[in-house]
Every structure is written in C-alpha cells, then in structure tokens.
C-alpha cells in the first residue's frame, strides 16, 4: 500500500541521517522510479526531503528540519507498534507486522523489545470477521461497492454500500459508508452482515468529513432503569460499568441506574444475574419483566 510505504519512508528518514534510493527500493520491494515518486509526494506534503546524487549521496531530510525527529520518540514508536499489532489480530494477515519492521529500521535501540502494551482486538467471531474486514478494506482502497445481507431490529435486508471507513467501537467492528437504499451515510455492524461480496463496481468518492462517531451513534438509550443488586453482584457491575456505576445502600445492597438501548437489552442483561437483581423502575417494565419470568416458569414446570 502506498500510504504504508510513505509512512515507512518518513520513519526511516526521521531516524537515519541518509539512505539511498536503491536501498529504499529493496526494502519496500518496489522500483527506484516508485521511490522517486514517493519522495516527490513527501515534498509536496511539506516535508523537506533532499536528494544528493553521486558518490556519498543519498536521500535525507534537510538539517534545519532535524529538530522534528524527536516527534517519534521510543515511547511513541512502541505505542504505534502496539496499535499496528492489534490490527493484525483481526486481519488474519501479518501486513502490519511488515510495516512495523519497516518503521523500526535503523533504530539503534531495541524498539520492539521490552514492549509493555499488548492489544488483541480479535473476538470469538474472529474466523468470520477477518474475511469481512479484508474484503471491505480492499473495497475501500479500490473505491469499490460491496453488497451484503444485513440483519437488524426491523428484519433482514440486502444492502449495497460505498464503503469509506472501518470502525472499531464498543468492542465491535463497523463499516461506515454511503448506503444506496437510504441515499445517505450509514453505519453497519460487521457481526450482523453476511454474504459480504465486492461488486467490482467502482464509485466516485463523495465529499464527506471524517465521521464523528460518538457513543450515541452506537447506543441510543431509550430506557432509564433503576435496579437494586445484591452485594454478590458488585464485581459484575464494576467489570461492566466501573466502580462509580452504583451507590451502596445502608443494608449493603447496590443501587444501580443506567440508560439502556431498549427493554430487550435491559431484560437480557438482568436475566444473567438471576435472583441477584431486582428491577425497580420503570414500573411498567417491572410488570412486563414479571410476565416474562412467569412465562419462563410455565415452560419449566
């Protein structure tokens, strides 16, 4: 990928005094002409790259710019590498490991040793997610439409999408793009997508800003619930929502308040606690939850 190569070349130039075009061409497995074009693109981006021909010549960043080499410190690089490795954990490839190797070239210190951050973005659904991510990523790079079946609260539908971004949020993967059916930008959860295929239909990139994806885009709370938990449930509440998510009552029970997406989301979560939770409010949902429990009891009689 061109962007990977440009980042790699820039990282090398920031860490080394000088390198030749043949050396870069060999490292990135491209032609010298491609490297020369890459250097032109870096210059156009405002990075003062200088090329000196002849003996002892090479490619370097001009001396007056060398102060900015501190932009990528050892700690910064380690954080970048942790993030890149996390992408390999879901992509099913080692393409980002290869980019890490290029970024670390020429570092005198062992930048890849002693890492203390490990990020694994894979999930129980890695075997099904990785192929989707790879297809969508290729479609984004080639400006190519994708089609897929989508399973949402309103039922099943077949969608055609111009994909623009892959997004990881709230422990799930999404694709952001322009939906042909809705004629607007939409967000689709990868776990709800099946039969994802590239159509080989190219599209003209639309003008759009970087999508702002606040929590409200992913979770639109509609139900404000007040729940009383037994002390034994404290670790679950802390694990799911944090230490400040509840108020301990004089008798030791835990008063928990939270806005849920809908009643089904609330009920499914409550049932996982068994008898350790009591729904207090809303009153109408308390009655509905009681009816669900009674139906369950009837099935097990």
């Amino acid at each position: 990928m061109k962007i990977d190569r440009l980042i790699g070349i820039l990282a090398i130039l920031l860490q080394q005094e000088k390198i030749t075009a043949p050396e870069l061409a060999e490292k990135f497995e491209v032609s010298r002409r491609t490297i020369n074009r890459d250097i032109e693109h870096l210059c156009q981006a405002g990075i003062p790259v200088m090329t000196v021909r002849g003996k002892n010549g090479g490619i370097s960043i001009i001396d007056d710019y060398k102060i900015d080499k501190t932009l990528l410190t050892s700690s910064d690089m380690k954080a970048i590498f942790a993030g890149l490795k996390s992408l390999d954990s879901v992509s099913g490839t080692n393409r980002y490991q290869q980019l890490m190797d290029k970024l670390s070239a020429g570092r005198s210190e062992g930048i890849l040793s002693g890492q203390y951050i490990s990020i694994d973005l894979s999930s129980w659904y890695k075997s099904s997610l990785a192929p989707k991510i790879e297809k969508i990523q290729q479609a984004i790079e080639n400006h190519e439409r994708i089609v897929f079946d989508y399973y949402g609260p309103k039922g099943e539908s077949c969608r055609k999408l111009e994909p623009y971004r892959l997004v990881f949020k709230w422990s799930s993967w999404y694709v952001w793009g322009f939906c042909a059916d809705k004629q607007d930008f939409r967000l689709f959860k990868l776990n709800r997508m099946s039969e994802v295929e590239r159509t080989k239909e190219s599209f003209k990139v639309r003008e759009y800003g970087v999508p702002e994806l606040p929590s409200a885009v992913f979770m639109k709370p509609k139900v404000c619930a007040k729940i009383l938990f037994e002390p034994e449930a404290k670790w679950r509440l802390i694990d799911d929502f944090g230490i400040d998510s509840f108020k301990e009552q004089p008798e030791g029970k835990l008063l928990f308040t939270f806005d849920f997406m809908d009643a089904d989301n609330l009920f499914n979560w409550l049932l996982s606690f068994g008898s350790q939770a009591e729904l207090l409010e809303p009153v109408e949902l308390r009655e509905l939850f009681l009816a669900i429990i009674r139906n369950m009891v009837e099935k097990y009689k």
Side-chain angles (χ1 to χ4, degrees), residues 41-53:
H41 290 143
L42 289 174
C43 291
Q44 292 170 3
I47 299 168
V49 179
M50 177 177 64
T51 301
V52 177
R53 300 184 182 278

Side-chain angles (χ1 to χ4, degrees), residues 170 219 221 223-227 240-241 245 256-261 265-266 269 281-282:
W170 291 101
M219 303 179 69
V223 178
C224 181
K226 185 178 290 186
I227 309 164
D240 290 346
F241 296 96
S245 62
F256 174 84
T257 304
F258 189 76
D259 293 336
F260 288 83
M261 293 176 60
N265 185 265
L266 167 62
W269 187 67
E281 297 178 7

Side-chain angles (χ1 to χ4, degrees), residues 71 102 206 211 219 239 288:
L71 287 175
K102 295 168 185 175
R206 301 171 187 270
M219 303 179 69
D239 190 43
L288 180 58

Side-chain angles (χ1 to χ4, degrees), residues 30-42:
V30 295
S31 67
R32 290 182 58 179
R33 177 177 293 182
T34 297
I35 293 297
N36 290 335
R37 284 199 300 266
D38 289 340
I39 298 303
E40 290 179 7
H41 290 143
L42 289 174

Side-chain angles (χ1 to χ4, degrees), residues 14-220:
L14 285 169
Q15 308 308 323
Q16 294 185 208
E17 292 295 326
K18 188 185 301 181
I19 190 169
T20 66
E23 289 173 331
L24 287 174
E26 181 180 359
K27 183 176 293 294
F28 291 96
E29 299 178 351
V30 295
S31 67
R32 290 182 58 179
R33 177 177 293 182
T34 297
I35 293 297
N36 290 335
R37 284 199 300 266
D38 289 340
I39 298 303
E40 290 179 7
H41 290 143
L42 289 174
C43 291
Q44 292 170 3
I47 299 168
V49 179
M50 177 177 64
T51 301
V52 177
R53 300 184 182 278
K55 188 177 180 180
N56 298 324
I59 302 168
S60 62
I61 295 179
I62 64 174
D63 291 339
D64 292 341
Y65 193 75
K66 293 187 188 302
I67 186 172
D68 284 340
K69 290 187 176 184
T70 59
L71 287 175
L72 292 177
T73 65
S74 176
S75 296
D76 292 337
M77 294 290 280
K78 287 180 179 179
I80 291 171
F81 291 151
L84 290 173
K85 285 184 68 176
S86 71
L87 296 177
D88 270 341
S89 69
V90 293
S91 68
T93 68
N94 66 341
R95 62 189 300 180
Y96 295 100
Q97 176 66 49
Q98 294 171 355
L99 175 56
M100 288 163 57
D101 294 340
K102 295 168 185 175
L103 284 170
S104 61
R107 302 288 296 205
S108 57
E109 67 270 33
I111 195 70
L112 294 178
S113 63
Q115 290 191 43
Y116 53 85
I117 300 176
S118 179
I119 305 172
D120 188 345
L121 301 182
S122 60
S123 70
W124 297 111
Y125 312 102
K126 180 178 179 179
S127 59
S128 61
L129 272 177
K132 293 178 189 177
I133 291 173
E134 189 69 15
K135 283 184 180 179
I136 294 171
Q137 188 172 22
Q138 291 171 355
I140 292 173
E141 293 170 0
N142 295 320
H143 302 150
E144 181 181 332
R145 293 184 180 92
I146 60 173
V147 293
F148 53 90
D149 293 332
Y150 195 70
Y151 302 87
K154 296 182 180 180
E156 179 183 349
S157 60
C158 182
R159 299 295 185 96
K160 180 177 285 189
L161 187 75
E162 299 174 5
Y164 284 85
R165 291 289 181 95
L166 277 166
V167 182
F168 182 77
K169 184 83 171 180
W170 291 101
S171 303
S172 297
W173 282 92
Y174 301 80
V175 58
W176 169 270
F178 189 85
C179 178
D181 295 325
K182 302 298 183 182
Q183 285 296 296
D184 198 3
F185 282 90
R186 288 290 189 272
L187 194 70
F188 295 93
K189 190 173 184 178
L190 265 62
N191 267 356
R192 296 180 183 175
M193 297 165 59
S194 68
E195 307 299 327
V196 179
E197 295 295 340
R198 297 166 56 189
T199 64
K200 298 184 180 179
E201 298 175 6
S202 61
F203 62 87
K204 185 178 179 180
V205 177
R206 301 171 187 270
E207 289 187 9
Y208 76 103
V210 176
E212 294 184 7
L213 304 172
S215 302
V217 172
F218 301 87
M219 303 179 69
K220 299 179 180 179

